[in-house]
Amino acid sequence: MKALLASLVALVFAGLATANASVSGTGKVTYVPNLVYVSVGVSSDGKTANEAWQKNEEIVKKLFEVLKKFGIDPKDMKTTGLNISPRYVQHKDQEPELVGYTASYDLSVTVRKLDEAGRVLDGLADNGANRHMNIAFGHSDIEKMMDEARTKAAADARKRAELYVTASGASLGQVLSISEGQAFAPNFFPSERLAKMDAGLPIAAGTQDLSVNVSVVYAINHAPRS
């Protein structure tokens, strides 16, 4: 009796066995940037930590004055790094010698007037910014475009799944799971001041691509056996 019951349970579970289809989809949106992210840094050396800090502080104050002249809103300025580290000189067969300290400060700025980005960058460089000078293009309505890219990615994944499953003689079932892969992040690239121009460093934004990848798992509905 027990053996018969075990056999019946096995048959039931075999009948309930399901198969899944795991696919990926990509959605891309092309947009024209309407803002620029400017990233700059300041580094100063001093014999003492306090001296290095004060030198850096004076330069940072000048940078904020420059941004104020350009009408940059304080909410568009963000400190992204602050550090004081010792500097050593290595002598042969001796312990490293402490020769001073280096203070560093990193700042991220959102410039909402695209045609002023070059002048802002020039102004910061002229007033002491001396490291980590990068720019990236963005858009003020990036979340809306992210949602558009997500919708396209989900549609692309379903199209692929339907193609494979239908071609295999089955039909697509319900969605079992969805996971998003790539998320938007500004693509910073180094900016070199090649020449000083009256209008500031010219910056061409062109168009930018924003893409989202998703992985979706669907249940497969098998065609009934004849």
Side-chain angles (χ1 to χ4, degrees), residues 20-195:
N20 301 332
S22 180
V23 296
S24 62
T26 301
K28 186 175 75 171
V29 174
T30 300
Y31 66 96
V32 177
N34 66 355
L35 54 82
V36 177
Y37 301 107
V38 176
S39 175
V40 298
V42 179
S43 178
S44 302
D45 295 333
K47 292 183 178 180
T48 65
N50 186 56
E51 180 184 347
W53 178 268
Q54 289 184 347
K55 286 182 178 180
N56 230 40
E57 184 179 18
E58 292 175 2
I59 298 174
V60 171
K61 287 181 179 179
K62 292 181 180 179
L63 300 188
F64 277 95
E65 290 175 2
V66 170
L67 296 174
K68 184 178 180 180
K69 290 179 181 179
F70 278 100
I72 305 295
D73 194 310
K75 70 179 182 181
D76 288 329
M77 310 174 196
K78 182 179 180 180
T79 299
T80 57
L82 190 62
N83 183 61
I84 295 181
S85 57
R87 290 184 295 111
Y88 293 93
V89 172
Q90 183 69 52
H91 300 289
K92 186 177 180 180
D93 300 327
Q94 296 181 19
E95 291 293 324
E97 177 188 1
L98 177 66
V99 295
Y101 292 83
T102 298
S104 60
Y105 177 93
D106 294 305
L107 177 68
S108 177
V109 182
T110 300
V111 181
R112 299 184 181 276
K113 294 181 180 179
L114 205 65
D115 58 345
E116 288 189 352
R119 290 193 291 272
V120 170
L121 198 57
D122 277 343
L124 294 174
D126 287 342
N127 284 272
N130 57 9
R131 73 184 207 126
H132 293 177
M133 297 183 65
N134 305 290
I135 63 172
F137 299 107
H139 198 281
S140 56
D141 204 7
I142 204 70
E143 274 304 316
K144 181 179 179 180
M145 288 183 287
M146 279 288 292
D147 288 344
E148 182 181 347
R150 291 184 178 108
T151 300
K152 289 183 177 181
D156 182 47
R158 185 170 187 85
K159 179 181 177 182
R160 291 169 185 262
E162 287 180 338
L163 177 65
Y164 292 130
V165 173
T166 302
S168 300
S171 62
L172 203 61
Q174 65 181 355
V175 175
L176 300 179
S177 68
I178 301 177
S179 61
E180 181 176 295
Q182 180 178 338
F184 170 76
N187 185 24
F188 282 92
F189 58 90
S191 172
E192 298 179 359
R193 295 180 73 230
L194 301 179

